[in-house]
Amino acid sequence: MKLKALLVFVLAAVLVSACSVAFAADRKIVVGFAQIGAESDWRVANTNSIRTACEEAGFDLRFVDGQQRQENQIKALRDFITQGVDVIGFSPVVESGWDEVIAEINEAGIPLILLDRTTDIAGDNYFVTWIGSDFLEEGRKAGRWLVEYMQKTGRGRDEINIVELQGTVGSGPAIDRKKGFEEVIKDYPNLRITQSQTGDFTRDLGKTVMESFLKRGERIDVLYAHNDDMALGAIQAIKEAGLKPAEDVIVIGVDAVKGAFEAMLAGEMNVTVECSPLLGPQFVEAVQAIMAGKELPKITYSIEYVYSQEVTRRVVDGRQF
Ligand code: GZL
């Protein structure tokens, strides 16, 4: 009798697990994504890439625009926990202030993918994988381009005044793009940052802060902007001050959004360091790997280049962002 009961039990267990697998195979993967906002062309392209890739993958995507406010992102993350999503994706607007909500996500056992930006939480056990750019290297690339450009144009020994438009205060890209740039120029004492202030990655604030830099009346030779949107706003301020952008004031940006290419073709910007927003496909691959129980590397960098004024219309027309 006992053997018969055991066989019935085993058969029932196999049927239940088969049904749960079948159910799992039928239902959509549910993904919660807490996006920073829509502060720049880069962010808009990033959102489009995520939405398109998730739609093509057939995910049930719950997408929240945090409007660049940390409290909105924290609320979205808590809502995802309540909804019991399968995977959470997240790009933290700033590095600090996430410990509590991340602990709640970990407690709920929901896999977390960091996309683009990072947090200052110690260790890397709290997330499955981070996909994004090397912001420190982007700052170094901007610094190296400037050193080479000054030497190439015979100004390698001139006293050069640099003004800096920083990204969102406390954000990973703002912290590391500043650090990487300064790491390079520290070996050239004639290259000095004379004014530095946040433009919060937006075009409007970039213009306003550049106006204040110009109003100080000190000579400005170079603008280093942590993203192209602030650089494009600053270009307007430079022109309204009667100066020629890319000539009187060398203009360096980061992101390589289409507006920067158009400005370079118009002779109003010198260089942009690429930071790819097209992370959607890599994000989808990571979600699918997690759902299939596969291992993932902790870090996946996107491949990026430096584009200077000698770009052709062909390059511009071929770009996706
Ligand atoms: C960088 C990204 C930054 C962009 C800005 O990966 O976080 O945020 O450089 C965007 O344009 O606002």
Side-chain angles (χ1 to χ4, degrees):
M1 179 55 178
K2 270 187 183 172
L3 180 60
K4 191 175 174 191
L6 179 62
L7 283 173
V8 166
F9 173 75
V10 168
L11 185 62
V14 167
L15 279 175
V16 165
S17 63
C19 291
S20 62
V21 169
F23 172 71
D26 287 351
R27 78 168 173 78
K28 287 192 169 197
I29 295 173
V30 183
V31 176
F33 194 89
Q35 178 62 294
I36 289 176
E39 73 280 0
S40 63
D41 292 355
W42 189 99
R43 186 66 54 201
V44 170
N46 179 242
T47 290
N48 292 340
S49 177
I50 293 161
R51 282 184 179 280
T52 305
C54 288
E55 190 183 327
E56 287 170 356
F59 292 170
D60 170 358
L61 175 66
R62 319 277 169 86
F63 186 94
V64 173
D65 174 337
Q67 295 173 335
Q68 278 198 292
R69 302 182 68 80
Q70 179 169 40
E71 60 270 24
N72 292 345
Q73 286 193 290
I74 289 174
K75 181 184 180 310
L77 294 170
R78 286 192 166 127
D79 289 347
F80 295 152
I81 294 171
T82 309
Q83 294 163 22
V85 300
D86 295 308
V87 179
I88 291 178
F90 167 49
S91 182
V93 60
V94 292
E95 288 201 337
S96 56
W98 305 100
D99 300 69
E100 206 177 309
V101 69
I102 294 289
E104 291 165 25
I105 292 173
N106 292 164
E107 183 64 31
I110 300 176
L112 175 65
I113 298 172
L114 288 179
L115 204 75
D116 176 26
R117 298 190 188 171
T118 53
T119 78
D120 60 5
I121 295 174
D124 60 10
N125 293 329
Y126 69 94
F127 64 94
V128 175
T129 190
W130 171 81
I131 303 166
S133 304
D134 185 344
F135 304 131
L136 207 53
E137 183 56 18
E138 289 168 356
R140 294 191 193 106
K141 286 177 181 177
R144 287 197 287 264
W145 179 89
L146 179 61
V147 168
E148 287 161 22
Y149 183 80
M150 296 323 256
Q151 287 167 352
K152 202 167 57 176
T153 53
R155 300 172 66 188
R157 295 181 183 284
D158 292 4
E159 290 300 316
I160 299 296
N161 293 341
I162 303 165
V163 295
E164 179 183 34
L165 284 170
Q166 296 181 38
T168 301
V169 175
S171 68
I175 293 167
D176 286 350
R177 285 172 185 166
K178 181 173 187 54
K179 197 170 158 191
F181 184 79
E182 290 174 345
E183 196 182 280
V184 171
I185 68 167
K186 74 176 184 319
D187 297 333
Y188 302 87
N190 59 311
L191 300 180
R192 295 179 316 121
I193 296 178
T194 55
Q195 300 182 73
S196 181
Q197 193 178 325
T198 184
D200 206 21
F201 283 131
T202 69
R203 201 174 287 214
D204 289 350
L205 200 49
K207 179 172 189 279
T208 304
V209 174
M210 188 67 196
E211 285 164 350
S212 70
F213 287 163
L214 289 160
K215 277 202 183 83
R216 257 186 52 179
E218 187 180 60
R219 192 190 77 248
I220 296 172
D221 302 303
V222 177
L223 162 66
Y224 170 47
H226 291 182
N227 82 332
D228 293 336
D229 283 69
M230 292 188 293
L232 295 171
I235 285 169
Q236 292 313 310
I238 292 167
K239 288 161 73 171
E240 286 168 11
L243 297 170
K244 289 191 188 124
E247 293 179 34
D248 300 326
V249 180
I250 292 162
V251 180
I252 303 171
V254 184
D255 280 350
V257 294
K258 189 153 272 188
F261 283 86
E262 298 294 357
M264 288 193 284
L265 285 170
E268 296 184 344
M269 188 167 176
N270 298 85
V271 64
T272 179
V273 175
E274 185 174 37
C275 172
S276 177
L278 305 181
L279 305 176
Q282 287 170 292
F283 176 67
V284 162
E285 281 170 25
V287 170
Q288 291 169 331
I290 288 168
M291 295 307 286
K294 291 179 185 160
E295 282 290 308
L296 280 170
K298 269 297 172 189
I299 292 185
T300 307
Y301 283 122
S302 35
I303 299 165
E304 293 153 355
Y305 302 94
V306 178
Y307 294 94
S308 58
Q309 253 183 342
E310 295 69 49
V311 295
T312 63
R313 166 58 62 188
R314 182 180 46 79
V315 171
V316 171
D317 294 346
R319 294 195 56 83
Q320 294 180 62
F321 66 93

